[in-house]
Amino acid sequence: MKRDDLYFMREAIREGRKALESGDVPIGAVVVLDGRIIGRGHNQVELLKDPTAHAEMIAITAATATIGEKWLRDATLYVTVEPCAMCAGAAVLARLKRVVYGVQEIKTGAHSSLFNLLNDPRLNHQIEVTPGVARDECAALMMEFFQNLREQNKNT
């Protein structure tokens, strides 16, 4: 873990809270370059009715727009949950230097849970990965979402 990882992960958690408030799965992400956040995102799948509106995709798009480049070679993506195959693929295609995430996603995770797209030597780019940063805080956010969902389903 690097010096600022906890700080930036907490910024990703703030983004995840936005998703929670709008009824989406509470995943948040920020892209950091030279110690500065250049892209933010939170899940908006339900809000936009778009299966590609994941936190990572939105943050990567915002980051490339901020710097006016398609490559994020020296940037780090902080995300509360292990990226899925789509988001891991986008991270590889964006040439991110690092991905830092909070909790594993055993059903769809594409770093260590189900696949390892971020470090697959068959791809043209591999990414340094730091898992488990603010794991408990990220897990609590997900548990809150699913607890709320169970309560809603019980009441309907």
Side-chain angles (χ1 to χ4, degrees):
M1 189 163 83
K2 296 193 178 178
R3 195 187 78 193
D4 293 331
D5 284 352
L6 192 56
Y7 172 82
F8 289 118
M9 182 58 76
R10 288 199 171 127
E11 289 296 314
I13 291 168
R14 279 189 186 82
E15 288 297 317
R17 285 228 159 264
K18 293 177 186 177
L20 180 67
E21 291 165 9
S22 70
D24 257 294
V25 177
I27 299 174
V30 296
V31 176
V32 174
L33 179 65
D34 297 329
R36 182 173 74 94
I37 295 174
I38 60 169
R40 293 178 175 271
H42 58 275
N43 271 10
Q44 297 182 48
V45 173
E46 298 300 324
L47 180 69
L48 299 176
K49 306 295 183 226
D50 178 357
T52 68
H54 288 199
E56 302 95 321
M57 302 295 285
I58 294 166
I60 289 169
T61 299
T64 57
T66 296
I67 65 170
E69 299 283 334
K70 64 180 179 180
W71 307 129
L72 297 169
R73 284 190 173 98
D74 294 318
T76 299
L77 171 68
Y78 292 86
V79 60
T80 56
V81 175
E82 179 183 3
C84 70
M86 174 181 66
C87 295
V92 170
L93 292 173
R95 310 289 196 272
L96 282 161
K97 181 177 184 175
R98 262 179 98 216
V99 169
V100 177
Y101 65 87
V103 294
Q104 286 184 294
E105 173 41 86
I106 60 170
K107 292 183 179 179
T108 62
H111 165 248
S112 63
S113 295
L114 190 58
F115 305 110
N116 188 359
L117 292 177
L118 298 174
N119 301 123
D120 192 322
R122 297 171 295 177
L123 299 176
N124 63 342
H125 181 73
Q126 289 80 47
I127 299 173
E128 177 187 338
V129 180
T130 304
V133 174
R135 177 183 294 127
D136 293 343
E137 291 173 66
C138 294
L141 191 58
M142 295 297 287
M143 287 189 293
E144 182 179 347
F145 172 77
F146 286 109
Q147 182 178 353
N148 291 346
L149 191 61
R150 281 191 296 277
E151 287 176 18
Q152 287 174 358
N153 289 340
K154 188 167 64 171
N155 293 332
T156 56

